[in-house]
Amino acid sequence: MHQILSQTPAGGTLIVVVGPSGAGKDTLIAHAMAHFSNRGDVHLVQRFITRAHDAGGEAHQSVSQQEFDSLQRQGAFAVHWQAHGLSYAIPAAVHEKLALGHVVLANGSRSMLRHFAEAFPSLLVVNVIARPDVLAARLESRGRESREDILKRLARGSLDVEGDFDVVTIDNSGAIETAAGQLIATISRQLAKNEA
């Protein structure tokens, strides 16, 4: 289930960061935002999620399902969807930053990219991947699944982005500084394009 309520006027670019669990999306985003902390034209979206605020993972706007549904009816979301038993949304306020020609980063979902593209005409997809053994080790350290279950699940999944999108792929199998540098360079190139 999803809905797209409005499109962004020409100007800025939404960079949606996608990839499998354990790829290190949140860590890379945190490094990039620290790098651009002195710029007023690079922003990070806090998603609305029907998950407890202290549940771990990304910083997010925690709301109940009832609050989420109410906000949805009020048109507060640019895109919203459901996954893993939770509701997620990108706030419509993002359009204001994009209309100014800014770059906005959002943690997204590969399965929702078609809907992101409809809501955000200037969209860049950053696909963060890692080798299966690296993903397995990171996921195993979370203690939620056995290594055997993790390896089976990884074998079934694809790391590719399907569809006609502008995609930059970053392999985060090694040092975080290397992958973070690639994300920072990608954002810098996009800023230069927006300013041209």
Side-chain angles (χ1 to χ4, degrees):
M1 178 181 177
H2 73 278
Q3 186 173 6
I4 298 150
L5 296 177
S6 58
Q7 284 197 342
T8 302
T13 301
L14 185 86
I15 298 179
V16 59
V17 181
V18 300
S21 294
K25 299 183 294 292
D26 293 325
T27 304
L28 290 182
I29 289 170
H31 272 72
M33 291 310 299
H35 178 84
F36 291 106
S37 61
N38 63 338
R39 292 195 61 140
D41 56 354
V42 180
H43 311 275
L44 174 63
V45 175
Q46 276 205 356
R47 299 192 293 184
F48 283 78
I49 309 177
T50 55
R51 178 172 64 197
H53 183 71
D54 58 358
E58 70 185 278
H60 63 282
Q61 295 289 329
S62 177
V63 292
S64 68
Q65 188 63 57
Q66 184 178 3
E67 290 169 324
F68 189 97
D69 294 342
S70 176
L71 287 165
Q72 175 188 330
R73 287 191 298 271
Q74 295 168 37
F77 302 143
V79 181
H80 67 84
W81 67 98
Q82 292 184 328
H84 315 297
L86 300 171
S87 294
Y88 296 80
I90 301 296
V94 130
H95 292 305
E96 298 169 12
K97 302 295 187 188
L98 294 171
L100 295 171
H102 295 182
V103 167
V104 178
L105 269 73
N107 191 332
S109 166
R110 282 176 293 175
S111 64
M112 287 300 299
L113 286 177
R114 174 169 63 90
H115 307 298
F116 272 80
E118 292 172 14
F120 304 104
S122 182
L123 181 72
L124 175 62
V125 179
V126 172
N127 185 32
V128 180
I129 63 171
R131 294 191 317 269
D133 60 307
V134 173
L135 291 174
R138 291 175 183 166
L139 292 172
E140 189 177 15
S141 71
R142 297 179 183 179
R144 299 174 192 164
E145 299 174 89
S146 72
R147 185 171 182 83
E148 183 179 353
D149 288 341
I150 291 167
L151 289 172
K152 285 179 183 176
R153 180 160 59 83
L154 291 175
R156 292 193 301 268
S158 168
L159 298 180
D160 296 329
V161 169
E162 296 181 4
D164 186 21
F165 304 105
D166 187 5
V167 181
V168 172
T169 299
I170 295 176
D171 189 334
N172 190 25
S173 299
I176 187 67
E177 293 79 11
T178 301
Q182 293 174 21
L183 178 56
I184 288 165
T186 298
I187 296 168
S188 296
R189 285 193 299 271
Q190 194 59 54
L191 285 166
K193 285 182 184 177
N194 289 356
E195 291 168 357

